[in-house]
Amino acid sequence: MSTEDETPDNDDVVGKAMKISVCLVAVVAAIGGILFVVQQEEEIAAPKEETQTALPQERDTTLLEVPSLPFADISEAAGIDFVHENGAAGEKLLPETMGGGGAFLDFDGDGDQDILCVNSNNWAWTTPAPQPAPTSALYENDGSGNFKNITAGSGLDVPFYGNGIACGDYDNDGRVDVYISAVGANHLFHNDGNGKFSDVTGAAGVAGTPDTWSTSCGWFDYDLDGDLDLMICNYIEWSREKDLSMEFTLDGTLRAYGRPTDFRGVFPILYRNDANGKFTDVSAEAGIQTTNPNTGEPLAKSLGITFSDINADGWPDVMIANDTVQNLLFINQKNGTFTESGASSGVAFDNSGNTRGAMGIDAACFRNSDAVGITIGNFANEMTALYVCQTPGMAEPVFRDEAVSNGIGPVTRTELTFGVLFADFDLDSRLDILACNGHLEEDIQKVQSSQHYEQPPQLLWNCGSDYDSEFMVASEDKTGSAFTKRMVGRGAARADIDGDGDIDVLLFSSGGKPRLLRNDQKLGNHWLRFKLTGTKTNKDAIGAAVQVVLPDDSVLTRTVMPTCSYQSQSELPLTFGLGEANEIKSAKVIWPRGSESTIDVPNVDTTITVTEK
């Protein structure tokens, strides 16, 4: 390297010096500018005269704690020995993982709640066929929460691939009848008394078709003519051959249960009660056969159903939870027809406009206001929904999913929720939410570490709308390990099985045992229960509402609606938690046709029977 190369010329030195000088000047100027702006802002912000800053009132920082709500698993001790048979034999056929439902019902009319567990079956091609063939199971309550299996000879001991159940006195003879949906023909069992049922499906005309897969179902009086009509959810167009041909897998090798997106939907069915032991399929003329606007095919892939007077016009409306397609809301037009308004009302999709894997459903005035809330259990990694009516009493209801804002969304996102229902488990006058959870796939954790086949149920305690989170999860130290024990949960039902005034629950399982959980809370809250009997309206008083006014003028409204959750039915009597109130101001019944009855309530902590006059 030469000397010339090592020594820079004078022009370069001067140029570099000039550049450095310019940069220094710019930096100094910038700093000066910043200081000037800061000084100006401080001058602008400075008050003209000194004043004392008004401090906010001290916020109540009382720690909100979920009350103690222990549940005891009394299934075995109470005599519940049922095991659900789903027929699984390695082929991974979709119906095998969707069953598991049942009901609380007073089949013998003695005032306590009995149990009916719906069974599926082994597949017809299974060889050798297991003996004896599995059937549904009927358990009689002795009045104190102990049960006796009286299935044999009851007429309900018929093997078929059952799924959901609807309990209702369709002929108003004072005895509750039973409808069981199925993969294949459905069955209607007439209650003949003395613990005996007869299959009247053929004569009644409500079997459906042999190739239909029906799920949840329920009784309601859609035309208010005084007898119960029947509505049935159908899932997908399914067959063994179609299922096996699709070769579903979890990871490319493990056989998996199929996706509903790969099957066509099926219309739900509405049967009108003709009051002579027969029914007429009025689905088409009633306007409940919604089609996909792009394909013209049936839209619905229905798993959950409930009935509620959504717009407060005195007529029952229909809410259907659909799997992977939009939910449906049928508004009763009071002339034998319905208008579907799920999308326009805001309950069809999530807040991003997406469909979800919707399973179970329930509706109630959970805020003790006129606003109806609809909760829907959804697939894993999808939050449980809580749609709340923003326009109570308006003909065209508008809902918003408030699951995130009220605390439900984040704590339910992981679980795959089937059965959901409202109930006041601590009797504080606010309705809580129970969720029965379980995955479809035994091997799910091999591909999703956050998922489990067996999942814990959840109790979401309603702490009231005055708090940032309206619902809080009751942890295991509040409910007990018997409640949070993992299971392959499906349906759920509520009832007071032992007459102590609080709500017990029955959780159903796919391919396993149900779990009967006795509510052992000892919080000292007061309660009232009402058992209604219709005379001009249907005998079960399904659709009737009771309003109780508390001393602080809170109005509690509860509706007789056993159809809720997933493929299950709850008791007819209504339970009101009263909290610390040891008296009420007033109570009345609003019957399905709009007439009202004032109820005399001399004491609390009791059950009151009211007959329509």
Side-chain angles (χ1 to χ4, degrees):
M1 184 179 291
S2 66
T3 303
E4 187 177 64
D5 293 331
E6 293 178 357
T7 305
D9 60 30
N10 292 335
D11 289 340
D12 289 340
V13 172
V14 172
K16 289 181 179 179
M18 288 293 292
K19 290 179 180 178
I20 292 171
S21 298
V22 171
C23 290
L24 287 173
V25 171
V27 169
V28 171
I31 293 173
I34 293 171
L35 292 173
F36 176 80
V37 170
V38 171
Q39 183 180 3
Q40 290 297 104
E41 288 180 348
E42 288 177 348
E43 290 179 359
I44 293 171
K48 292 182 179 179
E49 59 181 76
E50 227 175 81
T51 58
Q52 186 173 359
T53 303
L55 298 175
Q57 292 182 353
E58 185 178 355
R59 185 173 181 178
D60 183 6
T61 57
T62 304
L63 179 63
L64 184 62
E65 186 176 357
V66 177
S68 179
L69 289 166
F71 287 83
D73 184 348
I74 62 170
S75 309
E76 184 176 348
I80 307 300
D81 55 359
F82 177 79
V83 180
H84 180 257
E85 174 59 67
N86 60 15
E91 289 186 321
K92 292 272 184 136
L93 304 176
L94 188 52
E96 296 166 358
T97 195
M98 302 298 286
F104 282 117
L105 73 165
D106 184 8
F107 80 90
D108 50 8
D110 63 356
D112 54 42
Q113 298 303 309
D114 310 301
I115 290 174
L116 202 161
C117 300
V118 176
N119 215 345
S120 298
N121 204 350
N122 300 106
W123 295 113
W125 48 86
T126 301
T127 55
Q131 296 296 329
T135 71
S136 297
L138 179 64
Y139 294 90
E140 183 180 21
N141 190 342
D142 68 359
S144 60
N146 296 307
F147 295 84
K148 179 182 179 182
N149 190 327
I150 60 166
T151 311
S154 67
L156 297 173
D157 48 347
V158 181
F160 58 92
Y161 206 101
N163 281 314
I165 185 170
C167 303
D169 182 4
Y170 74 86
D171 56 355
N172 288 328
D173 66 354
R175 297 186 295 268
V176 62
D177 309 299
V178 173
Y179 187 85
I180 299 179
S181 64
V183 176
N186 303 321
H187 293 261
L188 175 60
F189 296 96
H190 180 265
N191 189 338
D192 300 327
N194 298 316
K196 305 297 181 182
F197 292 79
S198 56
D199 191 332
V200 296
T201 312
V206 292
T209 58
D211 57 351
T212 299
W213 175 358
S214 299
T215 55
S216 294
C217 47
W219 299 98
F220 75 128
D221 186 4
Y222 84 96
D223 50 7
L224 297 185
D225 64 352
D227 53 35
L228 291 173
D229 310 296
L230 178 64
M231 193 156 180
I232 303 153
C233 289
N234 292 318
Y235 189 32
I236 55 173
E237 199 174 273
W238 179 88
S239 69
R240 179 195 185 197
E241 294 71 26
K242 185 178 299 184
D243 201 328
L244 291 175
S245 70
M246 294 187 184
E247 299 182 353
F248 300 106
T249 65
L250 281 178
D251 59 357
T253 58
L254 290 170
R255 168 72 179 172
Y257 287 108
R259 301 177 299 270
T261 51
D262 295 307
F263 296 88
R264 292 182 58 184
V266 181
F267 291 131
I269 300 175
L270 175 60
Y271 288 111
R272 185 189 63 216
N273 189 339
D274 294 334
N276 56 1
K278 299 182 182 299
F279 293 77
T280 299
D281 184 346
V282 295
S283 307
E285 63 195 71
I288 65 162
Q289 293 186 339
T290 304
T291 58
N292 185 316
N294 298 319
T295 65
E297 296 180 351
L299 173 66
K301 298 179 181 179
S302 306
L303 289 176
I305 188 170
T306 193
F307 311 102
S308 177
D309 183 4
I310 296 295
N311 56 3
D313 65 355
W315 292 72
D317 308 303
V318 182
M319 181 71 197
I320 292 180
N322 283 317
D323 192 2
T324 70
V325 297
Q326 69 182 68
N327 301 318
L328 300 173
L329 175 59
F330 292 102
I331 299 297
N332 197 323
Q333 300 301 297
K334 302 183 261 188
N335 59 2
T337 68
F338 294 83
T339 297
E340 203 289 305
S341 61
S344 61
S345 67
V347 299
F349 308 100
D350 68 11
N351 286 337
S352 299
N354 299 315
T355 60
R356 292 185 276 203
M359 312 292 180
I361 187 170
D362 197 7
C365 296
F366 71 96
R367 284 183 179 153
N368 296 334
S369 68
D370 293 336
V372 174
I374 301 170
T375 184
I376 299 177
N378 291 308
F379 202 77
N381 301 315
E382 297 175 341
M383 298 179 293
T384 292
L386 185 57
Y387 298 101
V388 182
C389 186
Q390 310 297 306
T391 58
M394 300 295 288
E396 298 295 331
V398 175
F399 285 80
R400 182 174 67 235
D401 189 352
E402 300 183 6
V404 173
S405 61
N406 64 26
I408 288 178
V411 298
T412 59
R413 184 185 294 275
T414 302
E415 280 69 29
L416 197 167
T417 300
F418 275 86
V420 288
L421 53 80
F422 288 104
D424 185 359
F425 291 106
D426 60 344
L427 301 176
D428 66 351
S429 80
R430 297 185 296 267
L431 293 172
D432 314 302
I433 296 176
L434 179 138
C436 190
N437 307 317
H439 211 281
L440 305 183
E441 297 286 351
E442 294 179 76
D443 300 318
I444 189 61
Q445 201 173 28
K446 294 181 180 180
V447 295
Q448 293 185 41
S449 59
S450 65
Q451 289 296 315
H452 298 268
Y453 183 47
E454 295 181 331
Q455 299 181 356
Q458 289 176 297
L459 195 161
L460 304 173
W461 177 63
N462 186 341
C463 55
S465 56
D466 294 336
Y467 297 92
D468 291 339
S469 290
E470 197 168 353
F471 288 86
M472 298 172 61
V473 175
S475 56
E476 185 174 308
D477 65 314
K478 300 297 183 181
T479 63
S481 58
F483 180 88
T484 58
K485 183 180 178 181
R486 293 176 178 271
M487 64 185 298
V488 187
R490 294 297 182 261
R494 59 176 180 253
D496 177 9
I497 63 170
D498 48 10
D500 63 354
D502 57 28
I503 297 298
D504 312 295
V505 294
L506 182 59
L507 306 180
F508 297 96
S509 172
S510 174
K513 297 178 179 180
R515 188 180 300 170
L516 180 60
L517 297 169
R518 185 186 63 214
N519 187 342
D520 286 345
Q521 63 84 27
K522 303 293 182 184
L523 298 170
N525 289 327
H526 296 289
W527 53 273
L528 279 171
R529 280 169 59 83
F530 296 91
K531 174 66 176 73
L532 309 184
T533 301
T535 54
K536 303 180 181 69
T537 58
N538 70 89
K539 200 85 167 182
D540 290 333
I542 289 175
V546 174
Q547 288 186 346
V548 171
V549 181
L550 298 184
D552 64 358
D553 292 324
S554 299
V555 180
L556 316 184
T557 303
R558 309 284 184 259
T559 301
V560 180
M561 183 43 62
T563 302
C564 63
S565 181
Y566 173 76
Q567 298 190 156
S568 302
Q569 296 270 289
S570 291
E571 66 173 350
L572 290 171
L574 300 174
T575 295
F576 287 77
L578 306 179
E580 297 179 356
N582 58 11
E583 62 179 0
I584 66 169
K585 275 192 171 181
S586 63
K588 68 177 180 180
V589 181
I590 304 171
W591 299 97
R593 290 181 178 175
S595 64
E596 298 184 3
S597 300
T598 300
I599 310 172
D600 182 28
V601 182
N603 301 299
V604 298
D605 301 332
T606 188
T607 299
I608 297 175
T609 299
V610 184
T611 301
E612 184 181 19
K613 295 180 180 178

